[in-house]
Amino acid sequence: FDHSYPLDYAAQFSADCYEGGYVMIDIPDAGRFLVVPEEAAEVDDLPEDVVVLRRPLDHIYLAATSAMALFNAIDSLDNITMTGTQASGWYIENAVKAMDDGKIKFAGKYSEPDYEMLVDEDCDLAIESTMILHTPKVQEMIESLDIPVMIDRSSYESHPLGRTEWIKLYAAMLNKEDAADAFFEKQVENVDALKDFKNTEKTVAFFYVSSDGTVVVRRSDDYIPKMIELSGGRYVFDDLTGDDSNTSAVKLTMEEFYAQAADADYLIYNSSIDNPINSVKDLEEKDALFSDFKAVKEGNVWCTGKYLYQATDIVGELITDMNLMLTGGDESKMTFLYHVK
């Protein structure tokens, strides 16, 4: 053992560095992985639960969309040869270009991967989001092909920079630690520059309406409520944990949502999951009760762009957007939010 990779915000993984360049990555509830340098010797007597990842990891199947921006930030898109998202679903220019150039192939979405392609392309690692937990047989099938499966749990981080700090996990796998450290320090500086926002005490609801009519919001200990706090607002749900600790989202009936969010000063519709809303009428068509919300009556309905969930690398921008929203700032300077009229 040499040292533990220093983490300032991330709590959903750890990385221990050993002499000779070996790295042990531990993702609680998702497995342990020993990264072995290209020419290094095998390690004897490893615990049965440890999965070996030997560098170079240059035939990765990336089904976790939030990780693409982090690979891009450390100039490692060349390590990804397959993805679970079509080119039309990416909002990261370099990812779209790589797919257009044939360097990254669409290998089926996470729930229906093209197993034959994974084998033919010598896939050496499948990086999945927690959505794979809903289709455990898919994970079992991939692993039965001797392809390791790693689950990205960055969406469970309670601080927005914790989500970005997953760049260090991928850097440890690819021997890009210096690039990751430099990039992450810059993101910390960007967020630190926003820490003096005075709290407006204005309340904000962040949500979307699912196809079954339920309203999906974030747990109170999630990174989105933390962003609202950093921007100078208050998340309208101050003690919401939900029944399932394995998800950062909570489903509410419309009546439950109305009871707590009807008097919220601002509504932000999360279109990174659902389709964007272009007018207040679009929102009211989802449920007539929205017309009674304070934010609807006062014209304080906002919507995120589809790109939001993939933008793990620029968390400071959303905090700035929210502050501009709360303080009546210049909408043209916003990156992710737009005003719904």
Side-chain angles (χ1 to χ4, degrees):
F1 176 78
D2 188 67
H3 67 280
S4 291
Y5 204 145
L7 299 173
D8 299 313
Y9 299 91
Q12 295 296 324
F13 79 92
S14 62
D16 290 337
C17 304
Y18 291 80
E19 290 180 3
Y22 299 84
V23 182
M24 181 72 83
I25 294 170
D26 186 355
I27 306 173
D29 301 322
R32 292 194 293 167
F33 303 84
L34 181 68
V35 181
V36 178
E38 195 168 348
E39 303 297 332
E42 294 288 347
V43 180
D44 296 327
D45 302 322
L46 277 176
E48 285 186 9
D49 68 314
V50 175
V51 177
V52 173
L53 302 177
R54 181 175 285 277
R55 294 182 189 141
L57 297 164
D58 51 10
H59 290 80
I60 293 172
Y61 166 61
L62 184 66
T65 55
S66 63
M68 184 69 85
L70 303 181
F71 275 81
N72 186 46
I74 53 174
D75 195 23
S76 295
L77 291 193
D78 288 346
N79 295 81
I80 300 166
T81 55
M82 293 160 284
T83 179
T85 302
Q86 299 270 17
S88 60
W90 287 112
Y91 301 94
I92 299 163
E93 287 184 15
N94 287 341
V96 175
K97 186 176 188 306
M99 294 194 77
D100 288 344
D101 293 345
K103 294 178 180 178
I104 298 178
K105 298 178 181 178
F106 175 64
K109 63 180 184 177
Y110 78 92
S111 57
E112 298 175 353
D114 184 334
Y115 300 111
E116 192 171 328
M117 182 184 290
L118 297 184
V119 173
D120 290 345
E121 294 288 325
D122 297 321
C123 179
D124 46 29
L125 176 64
I127 301 176
E128 301 278 354
S129 74
T130 52
M131 294 295 288
I132 195 69
L133 300 174
H134 300 298
T135 55
K137 289 186 177 179
V138 173
Q139 180 176 350
E140 290 172 14
M141 182 63 183
I142 295 174
E143 290 173 336
S144 75
L145 300 172
D146 290 328
I147 299 170
V149 174
M150 175 182 283
I151 298 177
D152 181 306
R153 290 179 57 88
S154 60
S155 63
Y156 290 78
E157 296 292 351
S158 59
H159 194 287
L161 282 169
R163 196 162 171 252
T164 306
E165 200 164 22
W166 274 68
I167 196 170
K168 295 181 179 179
L169 181 149
Y170 298 119
M173 284 172 22
L174 305 176
N175 198 23
K176 292 281 188 80
E177 288 94 334
D178 289 346
D181 289 346
F183 177 83
F184 186 69
E185 283 174 20
K186 179 63 176 171
Q187 296 311 303
V188 172
E189 288 174 13
N190 291 347
V191 173
D192 280 349
L194 311 176
K195 67 183 179 183
D196 293 328
F197 284 148
K198 183 180 178 182
N199 206 291
T200 63
E201 302 301 333
K202 297 290 179 76
T203 51
V204 180
F206 187 94
F207 70 100
Y208 72 92
V209 181
S210 66
S211 56
D212 63 6
T214 57
V215 184
V216 184
V217 300
R218 312 295 293 202
R219 292 164 55 110
S220 299
D221 57 0
D222 178 64
Y223 67 91
I224 291 287
K226 181 66 175 177
M227 284 180 159
I228 292 170
E229 198 79 18
L230 289 169
S231 72
R234 301 287 186 205
Y235 188 51
V236 74
F237 302 100
D238 56 7
D239 190 26
L240 187 65
T241 56
D243 300 324
D244 186 358
S245 61
N246 286 322
T247 178
S248 55
V250 179
K251 279 193 169 188
L252 302 175
T253 65
M254 186 61 198
E255 290 72 21
E256 290 170 328
F257 182 70
Y258 180 87
Q260 297 191 65
D263 291 329
D265 296 300
Y266 293 85
L267 297 181
I268 298 179
Y269 196 82
N270 178 16
S271 74
S272 62
I273 307 295
D274 191 23
N275 289 322
I277 56 172
N278 297 308
S279 67
V280 170
K281 185 181 178 184
D282 289 346
L283 185 61
E284 291 172 338
E285 285 177 353
K286 293 179 182 293
D287 197 294
L289 270 178
F290 278 114
S291 61
D292 290 335
F293 278 61
K294 175 184 177 182
V296 171
K297 292 176 179 177
E298 296 183 354
N300 287 324
V301 179
W302 297 73
C303 189
T304 71
K306 294 288 288 181
Y307 173 48
L308 177 64
Y309 190 70
Q310 293 180 20
T312 5
D313 55 333
I314 48 173
V315 296
E317 275 81 345
L318 180 58
I319 298 169
T320 299
D321 284 4
M322 289 177 174
N323 180 258
L324 289 169
M325 176 191 77
L326 292 164
T327 58
D330 186 349
E331 292 176 37
S332 68
K333 294 181 178 178
M334 293 183 177
T335 304
F336 298 114
L337 293 184
Y338 63 89
H339 203 173
V340 179
K341 306 293 176 63

